[in-house]
Amino acid sequence: NNINVCLCGCCWALRPRYKRLVDNIFPEDPEEGLVKANMEKLTFFALSAPEKLDRIAAYLSERLTRELNRHRYGYVCIALEALEQLLLACHCQSINLLVESFLSTLRLLLEADRPHLHMLATNSFVKFANIEEDTPSYHRSYDFFVSRFSQMCHSEHEDLETRNRIRVSGIRGLQGVVRKTVEDELQVNIWEPRHMEQIIPALLLNLQQDEDSSSGSPAEQTEVCFRELLSRAAYGHINNAIRPVLMHLDSHTLWEGHGFAVRCFQIIMFSIQSQHSHLVIQQLLGHLDANSKSPASVRAGIVQVLSEAAVIEATGSVGPTVLEVFNTLLRQLRQSVHYQQSGCYDNASERKLQDAVVHTIGSFANTLPVYQRSEVMLFIIGKIPVPGIYPDLGSRMIQVMLLKSLLQVSERYENSNLLTALPSSFLEPLLSFTLMEDPEVRLLILSILTSLVDRQHNAEPSVLELKNEGSSRQDVLFIRKHAQRLYRHVYLTCKDDSSGRSHYLALFTLLAVLSLELPNEEVLVDLIRLALALQELASSNQDRSLSVLNRCGILALSSALLNLLSHLSQSPSLRQHITEVGVRVLACELPYMGPSQHACVCVCVSEDRGVEEEEHRRLLLVEKFKTAPFEEIAAHCGSRASLLQSKLDRVFELIVRTPPSPSNQASRSTPLHEMKFPDLCVY
């Protein structure tokens, strides 16, 4: 026995020095941890003889494998810690040899069936990822680590706490891979589709689990990793990073209702470099086209994401793709109307989609500079079907939807002068739509015109004091060029028998805003003439197609406009005259001729009551003839017939008399032309 001990001691002494130094770092009891004094000797030796690094690493890896097979996990941790310290200490050309052994050791631990070994290897890899290497590596591969860390992110361990710890480790591992590879062009290209298709779904799966978003939770750690990944994406990498996101949302039906898709793209838009944001918009637009036959709820979800992305992308970096964006959205709007008419899809869902598209068009327009908004408005109005050429219902709905989109853009349009805001190429087709029979179309046109003219926001309900700041030279040129055409279309809109209360209110708002935006004598005179012409139209009997309701609405519009103009003019006598007329009219109980704008509303309500009473009496009479007994109806008609007959007999008695005798001229009756007939005869 003594001989065997002596031989073993001699053999140990004959072993290479680096092996003896490695063996000395392991204590007899693994609970004591790494022997620090001996570790310092090993580190000094490695730095003094860097050519031995590969052998040191290989031997440490061998020891770790042996201890792992024996399930002596304490010594496994010690061996891994020694490798980590050598990595931190050695910054030389030979470190690549050390790294290869280190990574092979981590692979071994990650392939084991012990979760705590997976987390141990991940923590070690993260420490390695934070080391800045002095020399490039040409043949290093991280494919295994991308795959393994992604699998850990999908852990379904039965214990919730263990599952969360494994997932967090997987996320941190992926974060380490990204940090290690994105800065080194010689490393593996982490942005390749085969890697992104593993990394992105793993991150999104944990981002969905947002029940526990506390510090250190999978969701919180995922968001940090996701933001870091996207912030490092260069121009050529954006598409590869976004495509797996779209695929994940498709496969898990996450576009609808839950808000996860919006949150996901909010993170994307805030994380990527701002000059690349238009690439995300293009990907979403292409995905919207690709899902053109999907349910309306899916398309509406994509459109909602587009709307939110446009708000974030407020820098206007849509750039040369502006018309492409609006062309895609308008195409989706037309397609939705077609689906709604064909009955292939749910109408309620299609209407929600149409509203979402209109809102998104407004959101995009809000991000554009003024000159591009003008181009967009011209582009939209050029897509509207021309009146009379497309008479079918589908085209009518397309007209309404496109005009709503145009209204969204015009409401966000800030212009310096009317000549720029309403060029002839835009104003003429816009005014042509005021002649359409559809009342909804005409009302939208009036709203669009008002929003473009109202630069001082006087039409807003919250405005208590009207703003009147004067007009520019360009504004004067505009009104001289287009005033008569505009007034003519206002006049014709008033004459349309399908115009209602909302139309007259919209017309008054437009004319009032115009008078405030262009407060010069020429405009005031023209508007007074227009108001008087409208009064003449309502009072005369030349146009018999005008109903009582239309006449009252026109009178209310003209009186309210005259009252406003009297306050804007510099003529006290005009103001006094309008006020006196208004007082006399109110005394005669004609509310529609009052001097205030309130009359514009009151007249329609009086008139509505008068029409309702007439309709009520007519319905009662019809109901009586339907339900009353025949004898009662016959008696009622007979009494009226007897009354009429007696009146007729009296008339004939007065007209037809015996001719007078020629000898008796004094008793001659009154000549026929001097006779006074009763009123009934005239009737």
Side-chain angles (χ1 to χ4, degrees), residues 629-642:
F630 175 77
E631 293 78 7
E632 182 180 345
I633 297 174
H636 176 73
C637 294
S639 63
R640 296 195 63 177
S642 301

Side-chain angles (χ1 to χ4, degrees), residues 666-679:
S667 62
R668 185 175 53 187
S669 63
T670 306
L672 185 64
H673 66 275
E674 295 180 4
M675 187 180 298
K676 293 183 179 180
F677 294 94
D679 294 339

